[in-house]
Amino acid sequence: MLKKLKHLTLATAMLLSTSAMAGPYDPYKGETLVVNFPAHPHYNAVMKILPEFTKETGINVEVDQLPYLKMRERQTLELAQDEGEYDLVAYVVFSKADYVYADQLENLARYFMNPKLADPNYDADDLIDGYVYNIGFAGGNKGYLEGKTGSLFGIPYGSETSVLGYRKDIFDKHGLKVPETYDELLKTACAIPQLEPGMGGLSSRAASGHHASHAFLLHLAPLGGRVFDDNWNPIVNNAQGVQAANALKTIVECGPEGAASFGFGEALGSFLNGDTAMFLDTTVVAGQINDPDKSKVVGKVGWAMHPMGTRRGSQTGGFGIGIPKNAEHKEAAFLLMQWLTSKKADKLVALAGGNPSRFSTHADAEVNAKFPHMATFGEALKYADPDWRPIIPVWGKINADLGTTLSKVLTEGLDVQEALDGVAERTKGVMNEAGYYTWN
Amino acid sequence: MNGQLANRFTPYIFMAPAVLIMGIALLYPLGYMVYGSFREWNPSQNISETEFVGLKNYITLFFDAAFRESLAVTLIFAVTVVAAELFIGVGLALLLDRNIRGMSLLRTLFILPMMIAPVVVGLMWRYMYHPTVGTINRTLKSMGFEGVDWLGQHALASVIVADIWQWTPFIFILALAALQSLPRSALEAARIDGATAWQQIFYIKLPLMMPVLIVTALLRLIDAFKVLEVILVMTQGGPGLSTEILALRISRTATEFRELGVAAAMSNYLLILLLLLTLGMFVITRLQEKRAARLAKMVQEES
């Protein structure tokens, strides 16, 4: 009898102790999170690792995956409701300004302060600086950069930077050197059509609107330019701006046929098709280059850092994940967010073909064995420039104007200086109306 | 008395549900748009949080060079496509208005483009215009000509061609129907009087078809002002603003610039323009009806 009682107490004690030592995920077991992700190579990889999360935590995840422009529209509507459908959203970088300004994303401080939720082994310092400040941070310098007044509203996930892809076979055949500076880049880009008739130098996006603007900004940062000075005066029309626009013009002229109307898809397509020798754009494409279904250049592509002008400055962009203010399961959503961006899951998603958010993943031996370009990408990320493009609410309008005007330069022969002067003047009007000169 | 009153109201009671639905489905959104066009409205805001700005959106637009360029593109596009479609459509109808074997099959083939979804049409033409792998340039090159950068250098013309390809059948089929319902007696009389084929077309067929043609043209014109998908897929409005028609600019203003108020004001400008066209159509049909009635009366009086 006594023995039996002893057993019982032991059992009770064990039960008590296990409940006291319950895992961080237990209170949320059985909850179902509804998340909104874009249709994007990185998030396709995420879909493969989500079952792992459910297995580990008992939290179910339901994913609403939408094309990314559609996703943004949907989120704009969803986030304005009193009660939202989504517990976690992946937002495209320029939505940061809109969502944070409209007070629609949770400040993450509350969650990282909560000992029951925050994982002490998370190692936030390992997250890539440029990505964090570009995508997750708001309220710092200029309102969108790192700074003492800022705080974190999201974590970069599915972010990307720019690297130079080049055809090793073509470069070897003609003894070309992989360009390290902008001068070399432009010279090589224009030499290739002569060395390999029918082949373009570098394929770039150039189509009217967002594409042309993106391509221009890609060159503006390394060449030492900026869109605004510290007082929000547009300086896109200064010498560096003109140089960047001329670089874009040269690249398009020495590019593949019809390059002036290329969007991202066409630019990538022509590189995958073997019509150009170089590609300078996002790291997201790395997975497709070695996919024989999509690419004719499998195994022929080498990667190098975005060439340098007066400084190094590769782009930062892509997506981050954040918790909407009107979410129903915020704490569980934070746990998912933390899990997805943890060292372990970051490596899992990298191995599944995604874009890692951590320095350690880029240096990881296993990841590099599978994707040898990862180390170069990690190196490029040290120079990722969070200020290559301003993330302010009126940017959409300025971006469109910049893009259509540059397109006129490329297709209608508009003078570069005149075109950029026009952009600067109109931008000044937009900024004035938005109240950026209130303190001047 | 009571019964009489009930009788008088019966039709209105029967109509009430339809009127109600019309009110909700048509007038409410329209009113919402007009209301929104007077406000500074960001899509992240509820309309109640927005600020009233009076006519500011309309005035800004009026002085906005990009909007005016877009309006000009829309006008050029609409007038060119409708003129070309009328010319080709009516021409085809005149050619095919005869008893050919397999006519019904031919007619079905001719109207096929109209049945294809606009997005598909856009994609198809975009690939056909592709500078290197497109059918058009490949054909040109195989014949020894230089390739042309269709969507880069001649974007508006290329888009116009695609629209003509898709919508000529609409005019063709209506013109053919009009032709086949023409009074044979008038044509026979003309033939007996020795009118040549051209004279028959210019003096008999075309004037008699005119009422149908005018309505068709106006319908097409209204449609052409609102075209979006084909251009969106083919050029996204580029290069520059050269193919940015109003519908596309409205959609970009709402989604890219996030200015719903301005987008609403732009839609209202478009609405006013279309309203004027529709009014024009009304007036023309009314005038024609009057003329027809007068002619009929004259004929009656003579006989």
Side-chain angles (χ1 to χ4, degrees):
Chain A
M1 179 67 199
L2 203 73
K3 213 176 171 187
K4 219 174 186 179
L5 201 73
K6 219 175 173 178
H7 269 284
L8 204 71
T9 20
L10 204 73
T12 329
M14 262 171 71
L15 205 76
L16 275 174
S17 73
T18 45
S19 76
M21 277 172 54
Y25 298 113
D26 289 354
Y28 308 101
K29 211 170 229 171
E31 274 187 21
T32 300
L33 293 171
V34 183
V35 303
N36 185 210
F37 286 162
H40 179 268
H42 175 77
Y43 285 89
N44 295 340
V46 174
M47 297 303 286
K48 291 185 205 150
I49 68 160
L50 275 177
E52 188 68 22
F53 173 75
T54 306
K55 208 170 91 193
E56 209 173 290
T57 64
I59 301 172
N60 301 308
V61 184
E62 205 174 280
V63 181
D64 183 13
Q65 220 180 358
L66 298 171
Y68 95 90
L69 282 177
K70 188 95 200 145
M71 177 189 89
R72 193 166 177 234
E73 252 178 70
R74 184 75 208 273
Q75 283 174 4
T76 303
L77 290 176
E78 252 340 291
L79 296 185
Q81 308 290 324
D82 290 334
E83 247 176 61
E85 195 184 313
Y86 298 130
D87 296 306
L88 186 74
V89 294
Y91 57 88
V92 63
V93 52
F94 38 87
S95 294
K96 175 180 89 173
D98 301 317
Y99 297 168
V100 174
Y101 194 69
D103 198 19
Q104 291 169 334
L105 283 183
E106 284 280 316
N107 190 321
L108 295 181
R110 280 180 55 209
Y111 300 90
F112 279 112
M113 282 166 77
N114 186 338
K116 289 182 186 157
L117 292 175
D119 177 359
N121 297 319
Y122 182 67
D123 192 6
D125 284 341
D126 183 34
L127 290 171
I128 291 154
D129 304 41
Y131 284 172
V132 171
Y133 296 127
N134 185 247
I135 297 163
F137 222 65
N141 298 340
K142 294 190 186 179
Y144 63 89
L145 290 170
E146 171 182 19
K148 289 178 180 164
T149 49
S151 59
L152 195 68
F153 290 86
I155 299 178
Y157 199 53
S159 323
E160 50 199 65
T161 187
S162 50
V163 281
L164 179 71
Y166 62 94
R167 287 280 298 278
K168 287 185 288 191
D169 52 335
I170 304 286
F171 273 63
D172 285 348
K173 184 172 157 196
H174 300 290
L176 293 168
K177 182 172 154 287
V178 180
E180 277 164 24
T181 66
Y182 257 80
D183 289 339
E184 288 172 15
L185 177 74
L186 298 180
K187 229 196 278 146
T188 315
C190 288
I192 284 162
Q194 260 123 52
L195 295 170
E196 284 279 323
M199 183 177 258
L202 188 152
S203 68
S204 160
R205 359 182 167 183
S208 190
H210 177 67
H211 295 292
S213 169
H214 186 280
F216 165 76
L217 294 170
L218 209 56
H219 309 312
L220 184 67
L223 288 171
R226 282 279 181 254
V227 180
F228 297 108
D229 69 5
D230 291 338
N231 294 315
W232 297 114
N233 291 308
I235 48 164
V236 70
N237 55 341
N238 65 10
Q240 287 86 354
V242 173
Q243 207 186 341
N246 279 326
L248 175 61
K249 204 172 161 190
T250 310
I251 286 169
V252 169
E253 278 164 7
C254 297
E257 226 174 311
S261 55
F262 275 10
F264 175 69
E266 283 99 346
L268 174 61
S270 84
F271 187 60
L272 292 179
N273 207 25
D275 294 339
T276 57
M278 290 184 285
F279 180 73
L280 180 65
D281 209 311
T282 162
T283 43
V284 144
V285 304
Q288 296 172 43
I289 301 261
N290 286 328
D291 176 354
D293 289 341
K294 291 178 183 158
S295 160
K296 290 188 189 163
V297 292
V298 177
K300 294 179 183 163
V301 175
W303 298 97
M305 293 228 266
H306 190 135
M308 192 170 147
T310 56
R311 64 178 173 215
R312 286 218 178 267
S314 46
Q315 62 126 323
T316 43
F319 300 90
I321 42 180
I323 305 169
K325 269 264 159 78
N326 60 7
E328 213 180 317
H329 307 103
K330 291 180 188 169
E331 297 185 336
F334 174 77
L335 289 173
L336 171 61
M337 182 178 190
Q338 181 175 249
W339 186 87
L340 285 173
T341 53
S342 69
K343 280 187 176 172
K344 179 184 154 195
D346 202 46
K347 184 172 164 180
L348 282 179
V349 84
L351 288 171
N355 288 39
S357 303
R358 290 174 170 271
F359 286 119
S360 61
T361 317
H362 282 91
D364 187 274
E366 203 181 324
V367 175
N368 270 291
K370 190 164 178 193
F371 301 109
H373 55 256
M374 236 4 134
T376 312
F377 287 13
E379 192 62 24
L381 279 168
K382 289 187 185 146
Y383 304 102
D385 180 1
D387 198 18
W388 75 292
R389 147 178 89 183
I391 305 173
I392 52 179
V394 287
W395 176 244
K397 194 165 186 183
I398 299 167
N399 188 41
D401 182 30
L402 183 61
T404 41
T405 312
L406 284 167
S407 169
K408 282 185 193 173
V409 169
L410 297 175
T411 57
E412 294 166 19
L414 182 63
D415 178 62
V416 171
Q417 184 71 56
E418 192 186 320
L420 292 177
D421 284 348
V423 173
E425 194 191 317
R426 289 187 293 273
T427 302
K428 189 130 196 173
V430 172
M431 296 298 276
N432 187 31
E433 199 174 329
Y436 282 90
Y437 304 131
T438 314
W439 291 79
N440 288 8
Chain B
M1 181 65 203
N2 226 344
Q4 222 176 21
L5 199 72
N7 263 346
R8 254 181 54 199
F9 278 106
T10 315
Y12 296 103
I13 293 169
F14 280 126
M15 269 166 66
V19 171
L20 203 73
I21 289 172
M22 271 280 273
I24 295 171
L26 191 78
L27 294 180
Y28 178 74
L30 203 69
Y32 205 82
M33 184 179 83
V34 174
Y35 178 71
S37 71
F38 297 114
R39 314 190 76 87
E40 179 126 15
W41 184 10
N42 175 311
S44 292
Q45 292 172 306
N46 268 326
I47 196 160
S48 52
E49 300 165 24
T50 55
E51 193 188 330
F52 178 79
V53 291
L55 284 173
K56 185 175 152 238
N57 291 336
Y58 289 91
I59 295 167
T60 329
L61 276 180
F62 192 80
F63 293 105
D64 180 5
F67 171 70
R68 281 193 294 191
E69 187 169 346
S70 161
L71 188 66
V73 170
T74 313
L75 286 171
I76 295 172
F77 175 82
V79 171
T80 320
V81 297
V82 174
E85 282 162 18
L86 265 181
F87 184 74
I88 304 174
V90 174
L92 275 178
L94 288 170
L95 280 177
L96 288 174
D97 176 30
R98 59 190 71 188
N99 292 324
I100 309 174
R101 195 195 286 260
M103 187 59 211
S104 57
L105 182 75
L106 259 179
R107 227 173 352 206
T108 320
L109 278 179
F110 269 112
I111 61 171
L112 265 181
M114 213 169 82
M115 300 185 206
I116 304 174
V119 173
V120 179
V121 173
L123 278 174
M124 224 165 66
W125 278 91
R126 191 166 127 194
Y127 289 126
M128 277 168 41
Y129 280 133
H130 191 283
T132 44
V133 297
T135 321
I136 301 178
N137 269 5
R138 286 231 304 245
T139 315
L140 278 179
K141 280 177 194 164
S142 71
M143 295 193 304
F145 293 103
E146 280 277 295
V148 179
D149 185 5
W150 296 103
L151 294 178
Q153 304 296 335
H154 310 282
L156 188 57
S158 307
V159 169
I160 285 174
V161 169
D163 192 89
I164 293 174
W165 177 83
Q166 187 177 22
W167 289 108
T168 299
F170 176 76
I171 297 200
F172 160 70
I173 200 166
L174 289 182
L176 192 62
L179 259 180
Q180 290 180 338
S181 64
L182 290 187
R184 294 283 139 185
S185 53
L187 286 169
E188 254 163 49
R191 223 171 292 142
I192 290 165
D193 286 345
T196 62
W198 286 112
Q199 282 171 331
Q200 279 181 41
I201 290 174
F202 282 111
Y203 297 115
I204 316 278
K205 289 181 180 170
L206 282 182
L208 283 174
M209 282 162 73
M210 211 35 101
V212 178
L213 290 184
I214 288 173
V215 175
T216 318
L218 278 165
L219 280 177
R220 268 306 297 143
L221 208 55
I222 290 173
D223 246 11
F225 271 104
K226 296 187 303 182
V227 64
L228 174 70
E229 297 99 327
V230 175
I231 297 187
L232 184 71
V233 173
M234 280 176 70
T235 65
Q236 291 186 337
L241 290 175
S242 60
T243 55
E244 184 152 306
I245 29 94
L246 268 186
L248 186 56
R249 181 126 197 113
I250 292 170
S251 124
R252 286 185 75 192
T253 307
T255 56
E256 261 182 63
F257 314 164
R258 298 171 64 85
E259 291 174 339
L260 291 185
V262 181
M266 224 182 276
S267 313
N268 279 342
Y269 271 134
L270 186 60
L271 186 70
I272 292 169
L273 204 73
L274 291 180
L275 222 57
L276 286 179
L277 275 179
T278 318
L279 224 71
M281 184 166 98
F282 257 129
V283 171
I284 289 173
T285 14
R286 201 38 80 72
L287 282 179
Q288 271 171 352
E289 270 168 23
K290 273 214 183 115
R291 216 183 88 198
R294 213 174 50 227
L295 282 178
K297 215 163 138 202
M298 265 166 58
V299 172
Q300 257 178 10
E301 273 166 11
E302 271 171 29
S303 64

